[in-house]
């Protein structure tokens, strides 16, 4: 089992396409791309924070689930990585982010990391 946790703000921010003018719209476009893609993972968790949360509702169907961070997106991503690890079935947990401090935290929590380009190349 492979679970990919996406740092929505970091992935959106990796492409200078004007996302800062419409954070909710950028989050919605990323969500739509993830849903449409034929990703090899069993589950994708898209973590959104701030204004981006207005673009996509919590929950989801199929393999893609959206989580709204109540405060820090980084803290929510680490908590999600820990929840996935604690399931205890040996699942591989991958966090997609370029944030170095967050990468260190999720590796400590037992996850692997990939940069935004890894995901964007599959979309």
């Amino acid at each position: 089992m492979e679970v990919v946790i996406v740092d929505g703000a970091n992935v959106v921010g990796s492409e200078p396409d004007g996302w800062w003018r419409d954070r909710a719209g950028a989050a919605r476009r990323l969500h739509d791309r993830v849903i449409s893609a034929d990703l090899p993972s069993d589950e994708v968790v898209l973590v959104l924070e701030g204004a981006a949360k207005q673009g996509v509702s919590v929950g989801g169907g199929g393999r893609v689930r959206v989580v709204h961070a109540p405060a820090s997106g980084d803290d929510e991503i680490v908590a999600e990585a820990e929840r996935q690890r604690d399931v205890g079935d040996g699942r591989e947990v991958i966090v997609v982010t370029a944030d170095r401090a967050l990468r260190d935290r999720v590796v400590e929590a037992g996850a692997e990391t990939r940069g935004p380009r890894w995901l964007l190349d599959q979309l």
Side-chain angles (χ1 to χ4, degrees), residues 11 14-15 33 96 114-122:
V11 172
S14 71
E15 295 186 306
R33 290 172 70 189
V96 179
R114 304 284 187 275
R117 182 55 38 206
W118 175 84
L119 176 64
L120 293 170
D121 285 347
Q122 297 180 70

Side-chain angles (χ1 to χ4, degrees), residues 26-123:
R28 188 173 42 260
R29 287 188 299 277
L30 174 60
H31 177 259
D32 292 348
R33 290 172 70 189
V34 169
I35 285 190
S36 300
D38 186 23
L39 298 173
S41 51
D42 299 294
E43 181 180 1
V44 178
V45 181
L46 175 59
V47 179
L48 301 175
E49 61 184 318
K53 295 189 293 188
Q54 297 172 10
V56 187
S57 299
V58 170
R63 298 178 316 128
V64 180
R65 180 168 51 94
V66 176
V67 173
H68 286 178
S72 162
D74 289 3
D75 290 348
E76 186 62 32
I77 290 165
V78 172
E80 182 65 30
E82 290 171 342
R83 282 191 292 273
Q84 293 291 338
R85 177 205 61 210
D86 290 347
V87 169
D89 63 359
R91 64 185 55 198
E92 182 178 8
V93 180
I94 299 169
V95 173
V96 179
T97 187
D99 180 317
R100 288 183 189 183
L102 178 57
R103 288 180 123 177
D104 291 344
R105 290 177 65 194
V106 296
V107 165
E108 189 173 302
E112 297 178 32
T113 64
R114 304 284 187 275
R117 182 55 38 206
W118 175 84
L119 176 64
L120 293 170
D121 285 347
Q122 297 180 70
L123 300 181

Side-chain angles (χ1 to χ4, degrees), residues 7-17 19-20 23 26 30 116 120:
D7 179 350
N10 195 267
V11 172
V12 164
S14 71
E15 295 186 306
D17 60 1
W19 60 265
W20 53 90
R23 294 171 194 265
L30 174 60
L120 293 170

